[in-house]
Amino acid sequence: MSRKKEVERLQSGDLARSNIARPFIRFEMKRPSGKHALEIKGLAKSYGEGTVIPPFTASITRGEKIGILGRNGAGKTTLIRSLIAGGPGAGDEPFNVDAGVAEWGHEVNIGYFPQDPRAWIQTGMTIFDWLQAYDPQAGNEELRGLLGQMLFARDEVFKPTDALSGGEVARLYFCRLFLQKPNVLVFDEPTNHLDLESINALNFALQKFEGTLFLVTHDHDLIEETATRIWNVGGGQVEDFRGGYEEFQKELSKRK
Ligand SMILES: Nc1ncnc2c1ncn2[C@@H]1O[C@H](COP(=O)(O)OP(=O)(O)O)[C@@H](O)[C@H]1O
Ligand SMILES: [Mg+2]
């Protein structure tokens, strides 16, 4: 079955009768951002002699969903880190661009899913404590509910953070985003350690998300089904294509 059909099947609700445990992903926003989500002005980044991001300028409106393509080492993560450096809600990972600015709009709050989320999860505590530390105001029931949504049931919420699989790290990280309720999602290869059920749930959630999305992934189905605009990164360039993945592929084949 194609992934598209699978997602339609998920949406149709006929899975409710089946008893396989599936994660439930939904990204709600605390409040929407202003209409102008982001202005990028001449943003540039090089490592040594190698240009990774050229002076890049773009304007992003609330609700746009940008799929970011490019081979390994092309500069996708560098582009994302350049965008969110110092941005509201993205944490304070130090990162210096060479030139230019990324100006985030009114009331923007960024939910960042880094390529290596494990590095962002402190060891020596339980899953539950890590999540609670992010939002000490959240009640036990709420935290348990969110963890349950991501299939951490009963005593699993007391697993030590040191012993998590890649998939568990990703699922736990999503729980933190559920608490944060950002209106801009910046996701760097979120599906790398997810199983098919979780990927489908993520696909559905990203389609439904009402805020602005920046999504790096090698999963072309996911890009095709979510993206309204494509950034193709590579060779020291960022191509800004106004259209979805299918249109972009057509455009590429025209150029051959
Ligand atoms: N901290 C760094 N120091 C030096 N070079 C780096 C650093 N981070 C990334 N690079 C280089 O920048 C290029 C782009 O990397 P990256 O943005 O991680 O690519 P992608 O996310 O598309 O795989 C690569 O050639 C990589 O080796
Ligand atoms: Mg990367």
Side-chain angles (χ1 to χ4, degrees), residues 24-43:
F24 178 62
I25 303 179
R26 181 168 61 196
F27 299 112
E28 289 173 351
M29 307 185 285
K30 219 168 254 168
R31 62 182 71 80
S33 75
K35 190 167 188 307
H36 301 289
L38 174 63
E39 289 292 334
I40 304 170
K41 298 177 178 168
L43 203 64

Side-chain angles (χ1 to χ4, degrees), residues 38-46 51-60 64 66-69 74-84 97-104 214 229-234 236-242:
L38 174 63
E39 289 292 334
I40 304 170
K41 298 177 178 168
L43 203 64
K45 177 77 183 175
S46 303
T51 298
V52 184
I53 307 303
F56 178 54
T57 294
S59 179
I60 292 91
E64 282 198 274
I66 299 172
I68 302 172
L69 303 175
K76 304 178 297 297
T77 296
T78 303
L79 174 59
I80 274 188
R81 294 178 75 199
S82 305
L83 291 182
I84 65 170
V97 297
D98 300 336
V101 283
E103 290 174 357
W104 290 95
F214 298 82
R229 179 171 173 180
I230 301 287
W231 287 352
N232 190 27
V233 181
Q237 310 226 22
V238 180
E239 180 182 3
D240 185 359
F241 180 79
R242 303 303 188 105

Side-chain angles (χ1 to χ4, degrees), residues 212-223:
T212 309
L213 172 68
F214 298 82
L215 172 65
V216 176
T217 181
H218 295 289
D219 183 329
H220 291 171
D221 288 329
L222 189 57
I223 289 262

Side-chain angles (χ1 to χ4, degrees), residues 84-87 89-95 112 120:
I84 65 170
D92 36 51
E93 192 188 25
F95 192 83
Y112 177 40
W120 292 61

Side-chain angles (χ1 to χ4, degrees), residues 59-230:
S59 179
I60 292 91
T61 303
R62 177 183 63 212
E64 282 198 274
K65 293 182 176 170
I66 299 172
I68 302 172
L69 303 175
R71 280 193 287 272
N72 283 330
K76 304 178 297 297
T77 296
T78 303
L79 174 59
I80 274 188
R81 294 178 75 199
S82 305
L83 291 182
I84 65 170
D92 36 51
E93 192 188 25
F95 192 83
N96 295 314
V97 297
D98 300 336
V101 283
E103 290 174 357
W104 290 95
H106 187 60
E107 298 263 44
V108 159
N109 182 247
I110 302 166
Y112 177 40
F113 187 102
Q115 189 167 351
D116 178 19
R118 191 184 295 276
W120 292 61
I121 296 179
Q122 271 167 273
T123 52
M125 57 204 302
T126 68
I127 285 178
F128 187 89
D129 289 342
W130 182 78
L131 192 60
Q132 189 168 46
Y134 179 73
D135 183 0
Q137 307 300 316
N140 285 7
E141 304 242 313
E142 185 187 1
L143 295 171
R144 278 210 174 252
L146 296 177
L147 288 163
Q149 251 176 261
M150 295 314 290
L151 309 182
F152 295 106
R154 293 178 293 278
D155 283 356
E156 281 169 356
V157 306
F158 302 121
K159 264 194 184 184
T161 49
D162 315 49
L164 304 178
S165 70
E168 287 172 325
V169 164
R171 286 191 278 121
L172 175 57
Y173 209 86
F174 284 133
C175 292
R176 204 184 98 168
L177 294 172
F178 298 160
L179 276 176
Q180 187 188 352
K181 297 187 173 62
N183 51 33
V184 174
L185 299 179
V186 179
F187 281 14
D188 196 350
E189 305 203 23
T191 65
N192 283 355
H193 298 281
L194 295 182
D195 58 28
L196 189 62
E197 298 294 349
S198 302
I199 294 173
N200 283 333
L202 178 66
N203 186 332
F204 188 37
L206 292 181
Q207 288 182 39
K208 287 265 169 183
F209 179 59
E210 292 182 345
T212 309
L213 172 68
F214 298 82
L215 172 65
V216 176
T217 181
H218 295 289
D219 183 329
H220 291 171
D221 288 329
L222 189 57
I223 289 262
E224 186 179 327
E225 288 158 30
T226 54
T228 59
R229 179 171 173 180
I230 301 287

